[in-house]
Amino acid sequence: MKREILINANPRETRVAILEDDQLVELLVDRPDARRMVGDIYLGKVEAVLPGIQAAFVNIGTEKSAFLHASDLVVADDEEKDDDNGDEDDANGDDDDEKSARRAKAPPIQEQLKRGQEIIVQISKEPISTKGPRVTAQISLAGRFLVYMPFASRVGVSRKIGDRAERQRLREMVQEVLPKDSGGVIVRTVGEDATQETFKRELNTLISNWKRVKKKTHFTRAPALVHRETSLTRGIIRDLFSTKVDKLTVDSKQLYNEISEYLKGIAPELSERVHLYDEPTPLFDKSEIETEIRDLFKRRCDLPSGGYIIIEQTEALVSIDINSGRYTGKKDPEKTILKTNTEAAREVARQIRLRDIGGIIVCDFIDMETRANRDKVLQELRTHLGRDRARTKAFGVSDLGLIEMTRQRVRQSHLQNMTESCPTCQGTGRVFTPETIVRRMERSVKRMAVEGRRDNLIVKLHPDVAMYVLEREHDLVKKLEKQAGFGLELRDDPLLKPDEFKLVVKGAERDVTQQYAVA
């Protein structure tokens, strides 16, 4: 399979697109005002201990107190751990069975924690909707080849390394370099080809990092951040960029230099796969994925044969409905349904990964009469879900013809993160945030510049979006004029919708919005 990573970066936003066989399968977005929190370590103060639900609320300095369950105070003794979901994995790499085992053996939380007690915790799930972050006391520090767990005692190996002899070899290599009583370690999948010297060097670095965190807690008052997880870009390089990735393209010279420097220390053999993109056409436009990103927020996704799926995200769960649409086949209705459902299974797996949808998901496939066909569709779905870095589990077809599944959720989906409740419909709909509208407008202006247009423009924005620019990005117009090579005038227009903007040629009063506003 051909795999490629594209990074589009500017001071206000970094977007990472992962392509498999030239098809967009994953999108990650990082902004300064909405940074990723999973993996951050805090010195927190216990605010309340609730024996009734065997949980505690911990003040870590965020808007809402963090939730800590009793099971997240206990170390799982199982050697066989699967860490290899990168930053999407739980902080300690545990799967559902291990969590259940910990939950069963967890001592009463009221015997472990007291109100006002200080405790070191790590974020395992970001705030979602009305809930605060979820934290664990089982700290883990991820490296490229190893995950170090200071409060564990075992050496585990990623389940994605299937050969039993190879697993034992790696375990013994790490045990030889792991200082006594210094914690536990998981060998990551990419560590299969690493040398013992490499393991030792990285382990020493991770242990030193943990000592710095511990030392910082002695001079810090709770609540306080004591360790921040690495940036999105560096995390992608650490967790994903390997010999299985054919190419990495970045459009920022500064970021390109940072990546190249970072690779010199961890994987110099991969440096030749990193490319700096310096063409005038935006990177995502050149790769023809900007339109796909825009379509992430649509309910409907069309299938190649003519069928389509409808995706509805709610507070409780996500429902996905499959329809045959205009595809009616020829003679055999069962074959027609099987083809539509098989296409839908592939697209469902891609869409939930691309949209970063998590939690409970219910898929309503078109009813099939034979058990064999139902099994084929389920197997197709599971095969494509296997490519997902987040843990997923798809259950059998229910009596109602539904496939129920779960997907690990550690942060809000792109829909929740990049849209907000619409003030004109009392929260029943969604509109894009001012930040997103400004970025779209910015990209549209740059497209005009790429085509050689030099007409001065009037940019019309909704008053709320215009106010956002004046308060948060007051120098945007000057920077954009310098980049584009023509004049810009910003105006607010109360007649525009909150997520709408217009580009009007000054003097000619000609609206060119539709021509350049792709996304």
Side-chain angles (χ1 to χ4, degrees):
M1 179 192 301
K2 178 186 174 185
R3 297 190 78 194
E4 187 176 355
I5 297 175
L6 306 179
I7 303 177
N8 164 231
N10 65 52
R12 299 292 301 177
E13 179 183 67
T14 299
R15 298 186 298 169
V16 179
I18 299 174
L19 281 66
E20 292 177 355
D21 292 332
D22 296 322
Q23 187 176 45
L24 180 66
V25 296
E26 197 168 336
L27 176 72
L28 300 98
V29 180
D30 196 22
R31 291 172 177 166
D33 58 342
R35 66 173 187 83
R36 302 162 85 84
M37 299 172 64
V38 171
D40 289 354
I41 301 175
Y42 288 81
L43 178 64
K45 182 176 283 189
V46 178
E47 281 195 330
V49 179
L50 308 176
I53 59 173
Q54 282 298 293
F57 285 99
V58 183
N59 179 10
I60 60 172
T62 51
E63 184 179 350
K64 292 191 175 183
S65 295
F67 179 85
L68 173 64
H69 192 268
S71 61
D72 289 314
L73 290 168
V74 180
V75 181
D77 290 330
D78 188 354
E79 290 187 21
E80 307 299 322
K81 288 192 174 187
D82 179 6
D83 76 292
D84 215 31
N85 287 324
D87 65 344
E88 302 301 313
D89 203 354
D90 282 352
N92 59 359
D94 299 331
D95 66 14
D96 295 334
D97 295 335
E98 287 161 359
K99 285 182 181 177
S100 299
R102 286 212 319 273
R103 197 175 289 261
K105 72 172 74 172
I109 195 166
Q110 61 271 26
E111 296 178 6
Q112 306 294 309
L113 296 177
K114 303 297 179 188
R115 189 171 184 270
Q117 177 181 338
E118 291 188 351
I119 182 173
I120 302 174
V121 293
Q122 185 172 36
I123 292 184
S124 59
K125 183 183 289 187
E126 294 182 6
I128 297 174
S129 187
T130 58
K131 300 175 182 176
R134 179 157 183 164
V135 295
T136 176
Q138 291 310 308
I139 309 300
S140 65
L141 297 173
R144 180 167 176 82
F145 306 105
L146 302 171
V147 176
Y148 173 62
M149 301 173 295
F151 298 125
S153 58
R154 303 263 187 169
V155 174
V157 180
S158 169
R159 286 196 184 96
K160 293 184 180 180
I161 300 175
D163 184 79
R164 187 175 294 273
E166 178 65 10
R167 295 171 68 83
Q168 185 61 29
R169 183 186 72 85
L170 291 169
R171 188 177 287 113
E172 290 174 356
M173 282 176 61
V174 174
Q175 285 172 337
E176 289 176 8
V177 298
L178 179 64
K180 190 176 181 181
D181 299 326
S182 62
V185 172
I186 298 173
V187 181
R188 309 189 72 176
T189 307
V190 73
E192 188 171 10
D193 299 321
T195 64
Q196 190 172 48
E197 182 59 34
T198 301
F199 284 145
K200 183 178 181 179
R201 187 168 58 247
E202 182 166 271
L203 187 56
N204 289 338
T205 300
L206 294 174
I207 292 175
S208 297
N209 290 344
W210 171 241
K211 287 179 179 177
R212 277 197 295 271
V213 172
K214 284 281 288 181
K215 186 176 180 180
K216 193 172 182 180
T217 62
H218 298 315
F219 304 98
T220 306
R221 266 180 120 177
L225 174 68
V226 292
H227 172 77
R228 177 165 288 175
E229 178 58 61
T230 189
S231 66
L232 169 63
T233 306
R234 184 165 288 207
I236 287 292
I237 302 301
R238 181 192 68 196
D239 298 332
L240 285 184
F241 192 45
S242 67
T243 54
K244 294 180 181 178
V245 177
D246 299 283
K247 186 179 180 183
L248 185 148
T249 307
V250 57
D251 63 3
S252 162
K253 178 68 173 176
Q254 178 184 346
L255 201 53
Y256 171 81
N257 291 335
E258 288 179 15
I259 292 171
S260 299
E261 195 63 32
Y262 181 56
L263 284 175
K264 284 180 184 177
I266 64 166
E269 70 279 4
L270 296 176
S271 296
E272 61 183 22
R273 302 189 186 206
V274 181
H275 301 272
L276 174 65
Y277 181 84
D278 55 4
E279 296 181 24
T281 305
L283 174 60
F284 281 19
D285 282 2
K286 180 80 171 181
S287 304
E288 299 180 348
I289 60 173
E290 198 70 76
T291 304
E292 278 195 80
I293 294 173
R294 179 197 62 195
D295 291 345
L296 285 182
F297 307 98
K298 291 183 177 180
R299 295 169 62 246
R300 173 170 169 157
C301 299
D302 292 322
L303 301 174
S305 66
Y308 62 92
I309 64 177
I310 299 291
I311 302 174
E312 294 279 8
Q313 296 188 48
T314 69
E315 183 76 15
L317 53 80
V318 177
S319 67
I320 302 178
D321 185 42
I322 288 86
N323 299 280
S324 59
R326 68 175 187 271
Y327 179 60
T328 56
K330 294 182 179 179
K331 294 181 179 179
D332 190 343
E334 186 72 2
K335 284 186 178 179
T336 302
I337 294 170
L338 177 61
K339 182 175 181 180
T340 302
N341 280 344
T342 303
E343 285 183 356
R346 290 192 287 265
E347 189 62 19
V348 165
R350 186 176 82 98
Q351 286 296 329
I352 64 173
R353 182 180 173 190
L354 186 53
R355 297 173 186 232
D356 204 7
I357 295 171
I360 300 170
I361 303 168
V362 179
C363 302
D364 183 10
F365 286 89
I366 305 169
D367 290 341
M368 292 170 286
E369 304 215 352
T370 68
R371 181 77 185 178
N373 285 347
R374 290 196 291 270
D375 289 344
K376 283 180 184 177
V377 172
L378 181 60
Q379 185 56 44
E380 187 74 13
L381 178 63
R382 285 174 172 167
T383 298
H384 286 268
L385 288 175
R387 300 177 180 177
D388 199 339
R389 291 191 296 141
R391 286 194 304 273
T392 58
K393 186 176 288 186
F395 300 91
V397 182
S398 71
D399 293 340
L400 294 176
L402 306 175
I403 292 181
E404 298 163 0
M405 57 182 291
T406 60
R407 183 176 185 269
Q408 179 190 18
R409 177 169 59 179
V410 297
R411 60 180 58 86
Q412 297 187 113
S413 68
H414 289 312
L415 179 70
Q416 294 167 320
N417 194 42
M418 297 177 70
T419 66
E420 59 187 19
S421 295
C422 176
T424 61
C425 61
Q426 291 74 51
T428 59
R430 308 286 297 185
V431 296
F432 291 106
T433 61
E435 163 97 10
T436 304
I437 300 305
V438 172
R439 299 283 79 77
R440 284 186 162 188
M441 177 273 290
E442 187 178 3
R443 288 194 284 270
S444 298
V445 171
K446 287 179 179 179
R447 287 189 190 96
M448 288 190 68
V450 168
E451 290 194 6
R453 297 288 294 268
R454 291 296 178 265
D455 301 314
N456 292 335
L457 280 184
I458 298 173
V459 179
K460 295 184 179 181
L461 301 168
H462 185 273
D464 290 346
V465 181
M467 184 60 68
Y468 166 86
V469 175
L470 293 175
E471 291 180 349
R472 302 281 189 90
E473 299 185 42
H474 56 274
D475 58 348
L476 173 70
V477 173
K478 286 185 179 179
K479 287 182 178 179
L480 207 49
E481 283 180 334
K482 187 176 180 180
Q483 291 175 0
F486 50 78
L488 294 172
E489 181 181 340
L490 206 66
R491 290 185 189 175
D492 64 333
D493 186 348
L495 297 179
L496 291 177
K497 297 175 184 176
D499 59 354
E500 187 181 8
F501 66 88
K502 284 189 177 180
L503 304 178
V504 180
V505 177
K506 198 170 183 179
E509 299 301 319
R510 187 172 70 257
D511 189 344
V512 294
T513 312
Q514 293 299 320
Q515 191 174 347
Y516 297 102
V518 175

